[in-house]
Amino acid sequence: MTFSGLDYQVLHMSNHSVFIHSNQIEEYKFNENHPFNQIRVTTTKDLLECTQLITPTDIVEPRMATDDELALFHDSAYIQAVKSASIGELSEETGINYGIGTEDTPIFPNMHEASARLVGGTLTAVDYVMSGKALHALHLGGGLHHGFKGKASGFCVYNDIAVAIKYLQQKYQLKVLYVDTDAHHGDGVQWAFYDDPTVCTLSIHETGRYLFPGTGNIYERGYGVGFGYSFNIPLDAFTEDDSFLDAYEQALTEIAAYFKPDIIITQNGADAHYHDPLTHLSCTMKLYEAIPKLAHKIAHQYCQGRWIAVGGGGYDVWRVVPRAWSMVWAEMVEQSSVYQKELPIEWINKWQSKAPVSLPTTWFDPSNLVKPIPRKAEINEKNSLTLSKALSVIRSV
Ligand SMILES: [Zn+2]
Ligand SMILES: [Zn+2]
């Protein structure tokens, strides 16, 4: 069989995904005891290499975001404060006003450069997808969804997602669907586009009743012309896979049909897992197989394939994050058949001595991982009700 140049390009493109990565990603590091640990990006990349799901030609070095690009979303005074903190020239008092130097977001050397590189990675993803050099792009160093315009929050200095959406809007005027499945509410991105009907945000998270950042209730639906373009599904603590997935699949399917996006950006925080030490959801790897699968389908159905995926939270950096994030890439390159095999022994041998827990040997968790709780039916029912309330705006039109 022969193909003309164009056919070949189409065939080639249909499968082309890029993995944005730099070894410098680990320089975004608060301190040794901080739960946000970018070693998870390195271990994920290594797992993908050991399973031969990634080759050097898939990997693209991120660029740095310029100050002008950061300023598409962030206040100049805030960028200046981060720069001063970066070189140890910001007073404690001023830092606190900008949310830096706190227990959650401590100051570290070269904080500005490390944070601007994470933003640059997500901008590189946008450049690849929008130029047609790739259909899908994954940047696991990004996903810092709590960053505000003029303030750091929840381990996030600059908000790579908000900057990337502003950049997309400025250069391409696209309708953006942002989907956030991190266990924490995607507050920074939501508030950035709260009054903007061209950016639709969907966040599914553990209820903010007892969990940071406390927002993300059903009634945060947008403001002014942006009303009806912000969706929140706060799930009860101890929610399991089936109920999370039911909410995710119904919400994403209906919202995509209603909004008809030009591009989809997914934030793939992996902290809804049972093992995650910071949250109280009870999900397993089954969830992390399903999340990118539907996002991928929606990207092809509505966006001609344009899909950018970023990382996010995930604090069991040994047992959970490498598998969960590898599944995002495996889905992008349509290699999920690899889950039938065991995890490569070379990966386990390489990292086991550094891990304080036993590394998993399979892609999925044992079926008895989550201990049965009597309240499960009640939790599922409550989540279904939350879902109907959250989608009532589009279900009534
Ligand atoms: Zn989170
Ligand atoms: Zn695809």
Side-chain angles (χ1 to χ4, degrees), residues 84-100:
S84 305
S86 225
I87 50 169
E89 286 180 4
L90 189 75
S91 75
E92 205 174 307
E93 208 181 345
T94 316
I96 298 299
N97 292 332
Y98 292 109
I100 44 186

Side-chain angles (χ1 to χ4, degrees), residues 267-289:
Q267 195 270 17
N268 296 273
D271 45 7
H273 194 279
Y274 184 69
H275 283 318
D276 195 275
L278 298 194
T279 69
H280 318 95
L281 297 175
S282 299
C283 298
T284 74
M285 295 310 298
K286 199 179 147 201
L287 178 73
Y288 295 111
E289 179 198 24

Side-chain angles (χ1 to χ4, degrees), residues 166 190-199 222-227 229:
K166 291 278 183 190
Q190 171 179 296
W191 303 129
F193 304 99
Y194 207 52
D195 58 356
D196 185 341
T198 71
V199 179
Y223 177 73
V225 288
F227 184 84
Y229 295 95

Side-chain angles (χ1 to χ4, degrees), residues 129-200:
V129 168
M130 293 312 299
S131 67
K133 280 196 267 179
L135 267 189
H136 315 314
L138 176 60
H139 176 229
L140 293 172
L144 303 184
H145 62 167
H146 297 305
F148 292 114
K149 203 173 153 61
K151 201 168 181 167
S153 174
F155 320 154
C156 304
V157 179
Y158 297 135
N159 188 325
D160 58 298
I161 307 158
V163 174
I165 296 175
K166 291 278 183 190
Y167 176 79
L168 263 168
Q169 288 185 314
Q170 195 192 46
K171 275 186 97 165
Y172 306 101
Q173 291 93 40
L174 296 186
K175 279 168 75 181
V176 182
L177 175 58
Y178 171 68
V179 182
D180 185 318
T181 47
D182 191 285
H184 300 92
H185 176 224
D187 57 346
V189 184
Q190 171 179 296
W191 303 129
F193 304 99
Y194 207 52
D195 58 356
D196 185 341
T198 71
V199 179
C200 184

Side-chain angles (χ1 to χ4, degrees), residues 41 43 60 82 123 141 148 150 152 154 168 183 210 222 231 269 280 300 320 322 340 371 381 384 397:
V41 180
T43 52
V60 169
V82 176
L123 295 177
F148 292 114
L168 263 168
Y210 312 106
F231 295 88
H280 318 95
H300 283 286
V320 177
Q340 288 157 13
K371 306 285 165 279
E381 206 177 301
S384 299
V397 286

Side-chain angles (χ1 to χ4, degrees), residues 22-81:
S22 154
N23 290 334
Q24 286 172 293
I25 228 130
E26 286 190 42
E27 289 171 17
Y28 188 89
K29 185 177 180 133
F30 297 104
N31 57 54
E32 283 306 325
N33 302 317
H34 197 283
F36 191 94
N37 185 349
Q38 291 291 45
I39 193 170
R40 58 208 180 129
V41 180
T42 308
T43 52
T44 302
K45 178 172 167 269
D46 196 54
L47 178 55
L48 290 169
E49 283 169 345
C50 291
T51 45
Q52 294 170 330
L53 286 185
I54 203 165
T55 63
T57 54
D58 297 322
I59 299 170
V60 169
E61 199 53 39
R63 63 182 178 83
M64 290 282 282
T66 64
D67 286 6
D68 284 347
E69 286 168 340
L70 294 172
L72 288 169
F73 173 59
H74 291 289
D75 290 336
S76 302
Y78 173 59
I79 300 170
Q80 209 43 58

